[in-house]
Amino acid sequence: MAKIYIDNKEYQVPDGKNMLEACLSLGKDLTYFCWHPAMHSVGACRQCAVTAFRDENDTKGRIVMACMLDANEGTRISIDDQKAKDFRAGNIEALMINHPHDCPVCDEGGECHLQDMTVMSGHNYRRYRFKKRTHMNQDLGPFINHEMNRCIQCYRCVRFYNDYAGGKDFGVFASAGRVYFGRSEPGTLENEFSGNLVEVCPTGVFTDKTLRKHFTRKWDLTSAPSICHQCSVGCNTLASERYGGLRRIMSRFNGDVNGYFLCDRGRFGYEYVNDEKRLTRAAQKNTTSVSDVLTSVKAHIASRPKMIGIGSPRASLESNFMLKQLVGAENFYNGIPANEHSAVNTVLHVLQHGNVRTPSLKEIETYDTVFVLGEDVTNTAPMIALGLRQTVKTLPREKAYALKIQHWNDAAIREVVQDDKGPFFIATPNTTRLEEIATSVYHGNTANLVETAKQIEAAIKSGGWSQDSDFVNQAAKALAGSKKPLIVSGTGLLSCEIIQCAANIAGVLKAASKDVGLVYSVPEANSMGMAMLGTAGSLDDAVKRTATEDNMTAVILETDVFYRTDRKSASAFLKNCNKKILLDTTENETTPEADFILPAGTFAESDGTLVNNEGRAQRYYQVFKPNNEMRSSWAWLDMLIHQSDEARPFDAIVAEMTDALAVFSKIKDLAPAANFRIGTQKIPRQTHRFSGRTSIDAAIDVHEPKPPVDADSPMSYTMEGFHGKQPSADITYFWAPGWNSVQSINKYQIEVGGPLHGGNPGVRLIEPGENGKAAFKEVYKIPKAGAVEILPLWNIFGSGELSSKSQAVAKRVPVASVVLSEQTLEKVHHKGAEQITVQGNFEVTLPIRIDNSLPADVVLLPYGANETKGFHFPFYGYIKSE
């Protein structure tokens, strides 16, 4: 700890901080723009000026930038010194010279860091009376709106997009006194993390285009803490509503998971919540029934039919548990194909029985050597890819630290590091986005990848690598020589052998006393939760069972069976079931086949728990009470089990689940119970500035209705309640006096960039055992001669079942095509063909896209596309031209 002095008051702060971090961590209000806790200091904006003194006898001092001043023992500064205050106010005035007077109509108004800092600096009168410099704006695609005239040249956007996220199509352009941040020409921002510019930018240059089309002032939004449902990583989000529609998704800080950022699928893939095809009313096929739908379903359940339940990895843990309770453990099946079911269970086996720890998403950034096996991480789990981009900086930064450069001094570190990158190895079927940071890459079919991984494992174990530069020797030598290696794999190839090989490599590194980490990506938001819950089998097993048993009633939970399996199998399953009860959110191909439909809420209209890829359980909350018959799926199922008209409270469901399944016992303390109060107050979902409450429903009734009551959480649906620091799992919005923008997160952290007060949300359910062991002997079947291996091609925009229905994301979904190399076309004598037919267990004809990184015996088909939904990857087949 270092002893520092701020305005003649003594403070103790951790070593290795700069004075801006120290001031903010101590709760001081000091203006800044260019500094960001995830990107550190460059000293560009000159806004955090303070007066620094040599000692207590120095009365004059000198102006310095707090973000570039070490918080060393005895450092003495003043924030309130008049010279520093005048400098900060004058700097703001200079930045505002060309800034437009458009706060009342700016998308960022009321949540603007520039507004906050202007007020905080004391600048309140603009003296400049001449013509302003103006810029042309660019169309940056369906996600981001561009308004360059609001720019204050803080350089945050380009530092994040290029330096942190690895973007290539965005930059800063300058000529004389003009500086421009954008693309070389208008066009869609290509980076998967471009949406973070909305939060990184301290002004209104980059704003959310999906919010803009149904714009609502930020203080009029009703918000709740949520978890992203678009992949398995479990990023923390704030979901916001107005007038019964979801308006936006923002990042919710969690220092163990996503930190300050989100991927674009997670940020903009929410619009399916507002889809016109949402199921809002309960329905039954028998329109002549005199009973309402719920009564009819309860009556059918009460008749004790033979039941089979189809669970869902996109439904909450509680919903799947209640379905299991309804139909019985022996009748509860996972609504995914057998190969995916096996792959996820293999991952769970490794994590539960192995001795290698899976690091959190934030911890990934601390590793120094990486081996990615068989996984296109950018498209299956984008935020893991963002973390991996930071690992290549770990070893090069050591050179800067050796020169006594502080960890926070980003400008100096980048000057030393230049383009150096740490060891990073990738073995996949084809080129991936992460190859631009890779040391060496290898492309092969699944059998080749398995063999390569086994060779790396053997080389590490024996230490017998040669000095050759081939991939196996390079990777084995780098992994064996590193202090903190990381093995990354997943279910992307739907291969248990690939998953096992990754575990074996991590195991030999652990045996060599390395601080090794093992990260797996799994397909969906609750894939791990479903595997931990335990099922009687996969959807394929359920299809086989209904083919041999009559008079079955299928209860289908948030699953479109036509999306999960081939049309023939799906149709047979539904035909063989006597009755079909469907609980789902959106109309799909399964909907017309259902005898009863119970409308389920999405993450925005329901409460629940998800378990992410590392085994971390996290809670999400209902954002608003829909004005229709939607309920949480677990609520519908609870009413069916107990033959009641109302569901039990959420806490009762959680208690029943944790009592029944010891693996989930920690979930009971995951978040405050519904009876939690701060004093006597609940936690409001609306800000204290919320307006229009008395007029929202004026078209229906001039009298203000009673607000809905939330019996399932400690939150209210109104602005009434405790406005202050809420429990970390229940933060509904970030705000502090004088801090209206997302930068107010600083006030909720123990120290800036550190954990939230009360600890980061979530609890890990899986930890490795010191004596654990998860080693495998791989047996891989060689395909028939002449056949090609057909593997899934994952797309960040397009492979998500629900996110693809979002309007903005739909504009980014690529055209479905067969991806193969020119060598493959020549091999089958189809060179020059424009489209091609892939035949095997499944058949499809699509346009051709050439990727010469692919081996000659591998073909890729888009996973989750309309043309390929229900395909069971991988499979072997043949190709022919049309």
Side-chain angles (χ1 to χ4, degrees):
M1 300 290 284
K3 184 190 298 183
I4 63 170
Y5 300 88
I6 303 174
D7 289 312
N8 293 320
K9 290 186 179 179
E10 180 184 309
Y11 298 94
Q12 297 278 343
V13 298
D15 295 324
K17 301 293 182 181
N18 61 53
M19 287 304 292
L20 175 59
E21 291 176 293
C23 289
L24 294 175
S25 296
L26 291 168
K28 306 290 184 182
D29 289 340
L30 179 57
T31 59
Y32 65 90
F33 290 119
C34 67
W35 177 84
H36 188 281
M39 296 182 286
H40 306 299
S41 303
V42 291
C45 70
R46 322 306 290 168
Q47 190 54 51
C48 59
V50 294
T51 303
F53 301 93
R54 289 191 302 274
D55 51 41
E56 65 273 18
N57 299 317
D58 183 0
T59 58
K60 295 186 68 174
R62 61 189 181 92
I63 297 290
V64 298
M65 301 305 123
C67 73
M68 302 302 289
L69 180 63
D70 241 334
N72 288 330
E73 181 73 21
T75 301
R76 186 179 293 267
I77 66 164
S78 172
I79 298 173
D80 293 334
D81 181 72
Q82 193 60 46
K83 294 192 300 293
K85 291 170 70 174
D86 290 344
F87 187 99
R88 295 195 296 269
N91 194 60
I92 284 272
E93 182 174 21
L95 293 174
M96 295 291 283
I97 281 177
N98 290 295
H99 196 82
H101 295 242
D102 67 345
C103 291
V105 297
C106 176
D107 291 6
E108 200 74 359
E111 198 180 61
C112 176
H113 187 59
L114 177 59
Q115 284 181 331
D116 292 344
M117 298 300 96
T118 301
V119 173
M120 194 179 292
S121 73
H123 170 65
N124 55 20
Y125 185 77
R126 194 177 305 208
R127 294 177 292 176
Y128 186 75
R129 290 292 179 268
F130 304 100
K131 187 176 181 180
K132 292 180 181 288
R133 176 206 61 217
T134 58
H135 298 281
M136 296 290 290
N137 301 319
Q138 293 182 323
D139 180 357
L140 298 178
F143 298 155
I144 304 294
N145 188 69
H146 189 222
E147 180 55 69
M148 185 57 207
N149 292 326
R150 298 172 183 152
C151 183
I152 57 169
Q153 297 88 45
C154 71
Y155 284 82
R156 266 190 179 193
C157 58
V158 74
R159 289 176 61 214
F160 170 79
Y161 194 92
N162 294 348
D163 301 339
Y164 196 91
K168 304 294 183 185
D169 61 322
F170 178 88
V172 54
F173 307 90
S175 175
R178 303 173 71 85
V179 180
Y180 190 89
F181 294 85
R183 287 170 51 92
S184 58
E185 60 183 10
T188 299
L189 289 172
E190 298 170 2
N191 190 269
E192 300 82 8
F193 309 99
S194 63
N196 291 291
L197 297 180
V198 172
E199 295 185 57
V200 167
C201 177
T203 72
V205 177
F206 303 101
T207 52
D208 186 338
K209 193 175 280 189
T210 65
L211 171 65
R212 186 181 179 86
K213 67 185 180 186
H214 45 205
F215 184 72
T216 299
R217 284 297 184 191
K218 315 301 173 59
W219 59 81
D220 285 336
L221 292 168
T222 299
S223 303
S226 192
I227 303 296
C228 180
H229 279 53
Q230 312 310 331
C231 83
S232 64
V233 174
C235 293
N236 287 212
T237 62
L238 282 173
S240 302
E241 170 270 350
R242 179 75 166 177
Y243 295 118
L246 203 61
R247 292 294 194 249
R248 72 169 180 182
I249 296 291
M250 294 279 278
S251 170
R252 175 166 61 100
F253 180 85
N254 185 326
D256 291 330
V257 189
N258 54 299
Y260 295 89
F261 306 124
L262 291 175
C263 77
D264 286 356
R265 181 169 65 188
R267 186 181 296 274
F268 302 111
Y270 70 88
E271 290 181 297
Y272 65 88
V273 173
N274 306 324
D275 197 284
E276 293 179 354
K277 292 187 177 181
R278 284 297 305 278
L279 299 173
T280 59
R281 303 291 176 188
Q284 56 187 326
K285 189 169 284 187
N286 181 7
T287 57
T288 62
S289 174
V290 295
S291 302
D292 65 79
V293 180
L294 181 59
T295 302
S296 297
V297 179
K298 287 193 295 184
H300 180 70
I301 297 296
S303 68
R304 302 180 68 82
K306 287 196 301 181
M307 289 190 289
I308 187 169
I310 306 299
S312 173
R314 62 175 167 89
S316 70
L317 208 53
E318 292 77 12
S319 296
N320 281 295
F321 171 76
M322 294 308 291
L323 177 58
K324 188 174 183 178
Q325 294 292 90
L326 174 64
V327 302
E330 69 280 5
N331 303 313
F332 176 62
Y333 292 83
N334 198 342
I336 57 178
N339 50 354
E340 182 179 325
H341 181 71
S342 298
V344 175
N345 282 338
T346 303
V347 170
L348 179 62
H349 176 81
V350 171
L351 299 190
Q352 287 185 326
H353 299 286
N355 63 352
V356 178
R357 186 176 184 274
T358 293
S360 70
L361 183 58
K362 187 62 178 176
E363 290 170 334
I364 285 174
E365 300 180 8
T366 65
Y367 286 80
D368 57 24
T369 303
V370 177
F371 176 45
V372 179
L373 177 61
E375 194 75 6
D376 183 0
V377 190
T378 304
N379 286 297
T380 58
M383 285 299 293
I384 293 180
L386 185 63
L388 292 177
R389 286 185 176 275
Q390 313 319 310
T391 63
V392 296
K393 305 171 186 175
T394 302
L395 287 180
R397 281 176 173 162
E398 295 296 331
K399 294 189 297 184
Y401 303 152
L403 297 173
K404 307 299 183 184
I405 295 174
Q406 305 91 331
H407 288 55
W408 49 260
N409 195 336
D410 185 58
I413 290 171
R414 283 192 286 119
E415 189 67 28
V416 172
V417 170
Q418 296 292 318
D419 294 326
D420 286 359
K421 295 180 178 65
F424 198 106
F425 301 90
I426 302 175
T428 52
N430 66 316
T431 298
T432 66
R433 285 269 284 115
L434 286 178
E435 289 191 12
E436 62 195 32
I437 61 170
T439 305
S440 183
V441 300
Y442 173 80
H443 298 140
N445 60 30
T446 307
N448 297 148
L449 296 177
V450 168
E451 185 58 32
T452 298
K454 291 170 71 174
Q455 291 174 10
I456 292 173
E457 176 195 352
I460 294 171
K461 191 180 296 185
S462 66
W465 52 80
S466 69
Q467 298 302 312
D468 297 336
S469 61
D470 70 280
F471 180 83
V472 170
N473 285 322
Q474 276 188 292
K477 188 174 183 179
L479 290 168
S482 69
K483 295 179 180 178
K484 202 170 181 181
L486 179 67
I487 311 302
V488 181
S489 189
T491 58
L493 294 183
L494 299 169
S495 166
C496 294
E497 291 82 8
I498 291 289
I499 294 164
Q500 293 165 357
C501 283
N504 288 349
I505 294 172
V508 298
L509 289 167
K510 181 73 174 180
S513 301
K514 301 295 180 182
D515 185 10
V516 61
L518 177 62
V519 173
Y520 287 114
S521 165
V522 292
E524 297 187 59
N526 207 23
S527 292
M528 286 296 288
M530 279 291 289
M532 294 174 73
L533 188 60
T535 64
S538 67
L539 181 57
D540 295 349
D541 297 318
V543 171
K544 291 175 184 175
R545 181 175 171 184
T546 55
T548 59
E549 294 187 36
D550 297 327
N551 297 318
M552 297 285 285
T553 291
V555 185
I556 304 170
L557 172 63
E558 300 186 35
T559 298
D560 178 7
V561 293
F562 289 96
Y563 181 86
R564 300 291 181 175
T565 191
D566 63 280
R567 182 166 297 278
K568 182 179 178 181
S569 298
S571 298
F573 171 76
L574 294 170
K575 183 180 179 180
N576 292 334
C577 292
N578 183 42
K579 293 290 183 183
K580 284 81 67 178
I581 302 169
L582 176 66
L583 298 87
D584 213 337
T585 62
T586 309
E587 184 182 334
N588 53 49
E589 285 195 74
T590 304
T591 311
E593 306 298 325
D595 295 286
F596 304 101
I597 296 174
L598 299 175
T602 64
F603 68 90
E605 302 111 357
S606 62
D607 303 282
T609 305
L610 300 176
V611 181
N612 78 349
N613 66 306
E614 61 167 307
R616 181 185 299 272
Q618 299 184 104
R619 178 71 45 79
Y620 65 92
Y621 291 95
Q622 189 169 6
V623 183
F624 65 102
K625 188 82 74 173
N627 187 25
N628 50 48
E629 296 178 11
M630 288 181 198
R631 292 176 183 261
S632 297
S633 294
W634 56 261
W636 286 118
L637 293 164
D638 187 63
M639 288 188 284
L640 298 184
I641 292 171
H642 295 94
Q643 295 288 299
S644 60
D645 293 327
E646 288 295 332
R648 292 176 297 161
F650 180 72
D651 287 347
I653 307 297
V654 172
E656 182 179 339
M657 179 178 70
T658 53
D659 290 343
L661 298 167
V663 70
F664 297 131
S665 59
K666 293 181 181 179
I667 290 178
K668 192 175 292 185
D669 302 318
L670 183 60
N675 62 2
F676 173 82
R677 299 292 184 272
I678 301 177
T680 60
Q681 296 179 302
K682 298 190 83 171
I683 299 168
R685 285 176 168 88
Q686 299 170 353
T687 73
H688 58 288
R689 299 183 293 166
F690 189 87
S691 66
R693 183 161 111 178
T694 57
S695 61
I696 287 177
D697 298 311
I700 302 170
D701 192 336
V702 295
H703 301 287
E704 184 180 335
K706 179 184 176 181
V709 176
D710 188 356
D712 297 319
S713 82
M715 300 176 195
S716 71
Y717 288 106
T718 67
M719 61 193 292
E720 283 81 22
F722 176 78
H723 292 281
K725 291 184 178 65
Q726 304 104 334
S728 60
D730 291 351
I731 296 173
T732 55
Y733 58 87
F734 292 102
W735 179 89
W739 299 78
N740 298 288
S741 76
V742 292
Q743 312 298 322
S744 57
I745 291 172
N746 298 339
K747 302 292 185 179
Y748 290 73
Q749 296 166 323
I750 296 172
E751 63 178 36
V752 174
L756 296 166
H757 288 286
N760 292 318
V763 59
R764 284 175 63 112
L765 304 179
I766 303 174
E767 293 291 353
E770 283 301 316
N771 299 318
K773 188 176 182 181
F776 304 88
K777 292 183 179 179
E778 306 80 15
V779 178
Y780 197 80
K781 296 178 181 178
I782 304 299
K784 296 177 182 179
V788 294
E789 185 179 25
I790 296 141
L791 296 174
L793 173 67
W794 296 84
N795 291 302
I796 182 174
F797 308 119
S799 292
E801 180 184 1
L802 295 181
S803 64
S804 299
K805 300 179 187 294
S806 301
Q807 295 176 16
V809 168
K811 296 177 181 178
R812 296 289 306 275
V813 175
V815 175
S817 57
V818 178
V819 184
L820 72 175
S821 67
E822 289 178 342
Q823 186 181 0
T824 307
L825 283 176
E826 290 178 5
K827 183 178 178 181
V828 295
H829 310 295
H830 296 323
K831 189 173 182 180
E834 293 184 358
Q835 63 179 18
I836 207 163
T837 298
V838 177
Q839 291 179 320
N841 296 343
F842 308 92
E843 182 173 321
V844 66
T845 301
L846 291 171
I848 292 172
R849 179 162 70 84
I850 297 297
D851 181 351
N852 285 322
S853 68
L854 278 167
D857 55 356
V858 173
V859 170
L860 304 182
L861 289 177
Y863 183 94
N866 287 330
E867 295 84 353
T868 61
K869 67 180 181 181
F871 282 23
H872 292 189
F873 295 100
F875 61 96
Y876 296 95
Y878 303 88
I879 57 177
K880 67 177 184 179
S881 63
E882 291 296 311

